[in-house]
Amino acid sequence: MLVRFEGALSPNCVGVDIGSTAAKAVVLGGDGSILYKAVVPTGWSSAGAAEALRENMEREGIDVSKARVVATGYGRVSVPYAAKTVTEISCHAQGALRLFGRDGTVVDIGGQDTKVISLSKGKVADFLMNDKCAAGTGRFLEVMANTLAVELPELFALAERGGGAAISSMCTVFAESEVIGLIGGGRAKEDIAFAVCESIVARVTALCGKQGGGREFFLTGGLCESEYLRGRLSESLRAPVFTDPLARWAGALGAAVLAGVFLS
Amino acid sequence: MHDVEALFEDMRGAIPAGPVKIKEAADSGKKVVGCYCAYTPFEVIRAAGAVPVSLCSTSDKPIAAGEEHLPRNLCPLIKSSYGFALTDTCPYFHFCDLVIGETTCDGKKKMYELLDRLRPTHVMQLPQTYFGADALNVWRAEIERLARRLEAELGVTITEDGLRREIKKRNEERRVMQDFYELSKPDPPLLSGRELHLVNEFFKVSFGDARAMDTIRELETKLRENWEAGERRVPAGRRRIVVTGCPTGKSLEKVFDAIEENGGVIVAFENCGGLKPNYEPADETLPPYEALAVKYLGIPCSCMSPNTKRLDLLETLAGEYKADGVVDIILQACHTYSVESFLVRERLTGGKRSVPYIPVETDYSQSDTEQLSTRMGAFMEMIA
């Protein structure tokens, strides 16, 4: 997938976010506007994904060798053309600040981990990540969608029409067997999809609670495109949850902003 | 400066050589008593003429074997300890005549019931509070019961003089460690956290040998001399981190690396195996059993309720070591440290000087090295 942006390309700051599922790149112009962004599947090789992004940028006429590049994401060390690496916590925080322009609590449901980041006075005041477990992450949803033989968007569409069922286990492996149990018991796919989504909403809500709650939340990362999930999270958190068409790129965007800060 | 490297090298070499020393001791007729926990009063074992040794408990390797008898969702320390015993892969366990355990948590006390089948295991009934005379009386009686068991098992008599002598000696060892820990107070500290951990591990295999304590003293002197001469082993500007939580060990070095490879430097280990069991000496003016009861019951482990002493200690350490942050290592399924982390965060971040705090839950596998690096890296970026 490749999204073109209008305007002249004067490459300046590049942020590369190699996540566990998707690798993203954002290029900022000298005036801070977004000149270009791209996303490719990470696949089995972080280095391969980083190279694919570089090729995409070069193809668009961006001279990566002359740009200031910050890499982030769990594959951040596999980006040979980056001058600096910054963790995804700082980058998502920076990206959210740029997108939403104010303090709040950033919720990033990533492929491998879920992060809750409190912003205070434009800085990371505290953060929390799920520990050594896939519960409450994008990976959890992927496994469950797989079990139900649907793609993620379909899972959310199904969930919207379902209800009643529940998964009690927070463990992905055990939850999967619960799902299989529900399938075996003849529950409607819609109800099971609902249970799967409720499970992740409950987990993320607990994580936010542990972090001390918040007045408003900013949803970033791969799952922010689901309006259903955003709505359910908002109800569960009893607070507004905002997102942005660019929220998926928040990590890469933050990295690009930080490239301007650190590498100028 | 070469002296310092040579001393570190000696220490590194002494750790794998520890079992040989214990084999030699056993061959020469010495009795060996295996211990797991900081609550075990070494002085009593030494007064019985035996060598107390810390048993293996911090490797991932024997966990699968341990899980054949123990549930999977149990803390790795317990599974590892038991797995080592079951597979006879801990050389210290192999040579020990008796094992001492304490009822520090549900998992451990039930595991000791199984361990007793593999090797005679004496379990000390540890009170769950360090407040009040009742708890102290129970613990003193437990230490005396341990002494009687050692006498019966090893065919010796433990005298009051012997206890006094061993209390004095152990206090001296504690003083050596306390003095050594002072080296991390300047900014930058005189040595890295990984080096500090090495010294802690070396202390564990010193087995009461005065020469080993001399080595630690010598290292301290050399590090000070080099510091005076302008040597800086740790670059300036590192974030100063106090590590707390569950007992440390080989498999948790991944956390130390994640801290020190991301711009931090560990200035103190509050954990068992670090400061916690050694920051308070036993009172040499008290009758020996009472002195030992007061000393050991006063260890601020999360198994105590309430455990305000640990919160006080952490606050003090954060001040004395000018900590920029505190990292709390919580082993998976260690409920007491895990629950207590709420209070630790509250105390550290809510105080006059708010100290940034992060708990990390992990186990002995090395599969979360990357995640740990991200977490510690982000913490360092946050407090930069």
Side-chain angles (χ1 to χ4, degrees):
Chain A
M1 184 167 126
L2 226 138
V3 188
R4 278 294 310 266
F5 260 74
E6 300 297 322
L9 293 179
S10 58
N12 198 346
C13 296
V14 175
V16 177
D17 177 5
I18 311 286
S20 62
T21 309
K24 287 104 5 189
V26 165
V27 184
L28 293 178
D31 59 350
S33 62
I34 296 173
L35 298 178
Y36 175 78
K37 61 185 171 53
V39 56
V40 299
T42 304
W44 57 271
S45 162
S46 300
E51 181 53 22
L53 286 173
R54 195 189 61 81
E55 280 168 14
N56 280 349
M57 290 187 275
E58 298 280 351
R59 209 174 302 129
E60 296 301 313
I62 299 159
D63 188 352
V64 176
S65 66
K66 291 211 174 82
R68 291 173 275 175
V69 185
V70 162
T72 187
Y74 100 113
R76 61 189 177 278
V77 290
S78 308
V79 186
Y81 50 89
K84 189 176 168 64
T85 61
V86 179
T87 67
E88 46 269 45
I89 301 288
S90 300
C91 290
H92 271 273
Q94 203 59 49
L97 270 174
R98 159 80 196 247
L99 292 176
F100 304 100
R102 60 189 185 277
D103 286 347
T105 304
V106 182
V107 178
D108 168 54
I109 306 177
Q112 182 175 253
D113 48 39
T114 292
K115 307 174 256 296
V116 178
I117 310 164
S118 304
L119 297 175
S120 171
K121 294 172 193 145
K123 281 187 156 174
V124 176
D126 208 352
F127 69 92
L128 210 64
M129 288 164 89
N130 58 303
D131 288 278
K132 245 187 166 280
C133 172
T137 70
R139 182 83 200 123
F140 173 85
L141 282 180
E142 270 177 19
V143 169
M144 297 309 148
N146 236 331
T147 310
L148 293 173
V150 295
E151 297 284 323
L152 275 184
E154 201 186 339
L155 181 84
F156 296 128
L158 286 169
E160 214 166 345
R161 300 196 300 271
I167 296 171
S168 58
S169 185
M170 284 296 175
C171 171
T172 304
V173 179
F174 290 137
E176 193 180 6
S177 39
E178 280 192 50
V179 166
I180 291 166
L182 288 171
I183 296 171
R187 276 310 278 255
K189 224 176 193 182
E190 286 84 354
D191 295 348
I192 303 173
F194 171 81
V196 166
C197 290
E198 283 310 292
S199 157
I200 202 163
V201 165
R203 179 78 188 135
V204 171
T205 303
L207 210 58
C208 291
K210 223 174 178 181
Q211 177 77 322
R215 274 201 306 265
E216 54 178 9
F217 293 84
F218 308 133
L219 185 61
T220 65
L223 292 178
C224 67
E225 278 153 25
S226 166
E227 176 52 27
Y228 171 72
L229 195 68
R230 190 205 60 75
R232 284 296 305 127
L233 263 179
S234 179
E235 285 168 40
S236 176
L237 288 164
R238 284 186 236 152
V241 175
F242 299 95
T243 188
D244 185 282
L246 288 172
R248 187 177 188 184
W249 276 270
L253 176 62
V257 172
L258 290 173
V261 176
F262 288 131
L263 304 175
S264 57
Chain B
M1 289 182 201
H2 291 297
D3 295 348
V4 168
E5 299 312 329
L7 284 169
F8 277 129
E9 213 36 62
D10 288 351
M11 290 183 170
R12 238 167 249 130
I15 292 162
V20 180
K21 277 194 194 165
I22 292 308
K23 182 184 184 301
E24 285 167 2
D27 288 348
S28 73
K30 269 248 182 209
K31 296 292 181 186
V32 179
V33 174
C35 312
Y36 283 112
C37 174
Y39 281 109
T40 315
F42 271 32
E43 293 90 334
V44 182
I45 298 166
R46 287 178 176 177
V51 197
V53 296
S54 295
L55 298 170
C56 316
S57 62
T58 62
S59 165
D60 198 24
K61 229 174 163 185
I63 284 184
E67 284 173 351
E68 288 176 18
H69 294 181
L70 300 170
R72 284 200 62 199
N73 57 343
L74 192 65
C75 114
L77 183 86
I78 302 174
K79 290 190 289 188
S80 179
S81 304
Y82 185 73
F84 265 119
L86 200 60
T87 53
D88 195 19
T89 45
C90 170
Y92 297 115
F93 191 89
H94 183 81
F95 291 113
C96 73
D97 303 282
L98 180 70
V99 173
I100 316 287
E102 292 80 12
T103 54
T104 42
C105 70
D106 292 349
K108 273 202 163 183
K109 74 185 181 199
K110 299 310 284 182
M111 180 273 276
Y112 290 138
E113 292 175 16
L114 306 186
L115 193 72
D116 191 40
R117 300 169 173 205
L118 302 172
R119 197 63 49 95
T121 303
H122 177 88
V123 178
M124 300 181 77
Q125 303 289 332
L126 182 71
Q128 302 190 7
T129 180
Y130 36 69
F131 294 112
D134 288 350
L136 191 66
N137 288 337
V138 167
W139 188 234
R140 191 182 50 217
E142 277 301 300
I143 296 176
E144 289 184 28
R145 193 170 67 87
L146 169 69
R148 302 294 88 81
R149 174 83 188 257
L150 285 166
E151 287 178 334
E153 205 82 37
L154 310 178
V156 293
T157 308
I158 296 173
T159 65
E160 206 170 302
D161 279 351
L163 283 171
R164 284 188 195 280
R165 184 188 66 234
E166 295 304 335
I167 287 174
K168 215 169 138 74
K169 186 174 166 192
R170 190 66 175 159
N171 273 349
E172 177 50 31
E173 292 176 9
R174 292 189 180 107
R175 206 164 303 123
V176 171
M177 296 312 290
Q178 274 303 104
D179 290 348
F180 193 86
Y181 296 148
E182 292 289 314
L183 298 179
S184 299
K185 284 186 178 171
D187 192 23
L190 273 62
L191 73 169
S192 72
R194 272 308 289 269
E195 290 164 340
L196 186 58
H197 185 246
L198 169 63
V199 177
N200 281 336
E201 293 288 291
F202 174 74
F203 176 49
K204 240 193 239 175
V205 298
S206 60
F207 310 120
D209 185 350
R211 284 168 306 177
M213 301 320 290
D214 290 343
T215 305
I216 298 176
R217 279 268 185 234
E218 192 186 343
L219 178 64
E220 183 200 337
T221 310
K222 290 271 164 21
L223 283 167
R224 278 194 202 283
E225 284 170 7
N226 289 352
W227 169 272
E228 300 295 337
E231 187 205 33
R232 296 292 177 266
R233 299 184 72 79
V234 178
R238 296 286 175 105
R239 304 286 100 196
R240 302 169 61 83
I241 301 299
V242 168
V243 169
T244 180
C246 290
T248 57
K250 187 90 191 134
S251 297
L252 293 177
E253 284 173 358
K254 60 181 180 177
V255 183
F256 314 154
D257 287 343
I259 293 171
E260 301 209 314
E261 284 165 9
N262 284 291
V265 60
I266 300 166
V267 290
F269 291 96
E270 180 265 353
N271 322 59
C272 288
L275 262 149
K276 183 152 43 195
N278 295 315
Y279 80 109
E280 286 179 329
D283 186 343
E284 293 174 28
T285 65
L286 290 175
Y289 283 112
E290 196 179 331
L292 290 173
V294 172
K295 156 67 205 153
Y296 282 94
L297 193 62
I299 295 173
C301 171
S302 65
C303 65
M304 292 291 160
S305 177
N307 190 22
T308 43
K309 208 175 156 184
R310 174 168 174 238
L311 307 181
D312 295 341
L313 173 62
L314 278 171
E315 206 172 33
T316 307
L317 291 178
E320 282 182 0
Y321 286 85
K322 295 185 281 297
D324 295 308
V326 172
V327 175
D328 197 353
I329 301 179
I330 295 162
L331 290 175
Q332 262 179 2
C334 176
H335 304 320
T336 52
Y337 273 107
S338 183
V339 173
E340 199 163 281
S341 80
F342 184 92
L343 297 171
V344 176
R345 175 195 293 275
E346 194 176 66
R347 174 69 79 89
L348 289 171
T349 59
K352 263 179 288 176
R353 186 177 83 95
S354 177
V355 184
Y357 166 83
I358 185 171
V360 246
E361 191 178 324
T362 189
D363 60 11
Y364 290 164
S365 75
Q366 302 299 305
S367 59
D368 60 347
T369 312
E370 280 310 309
Q371 263 187 315
L372 284 170
S373 178
T374 297
R375 203 153 312 193
M376 288 304 112
F379 187 61
M380 299 306 154
E381 287 165 9
M382 186 182 104
I383 64 183

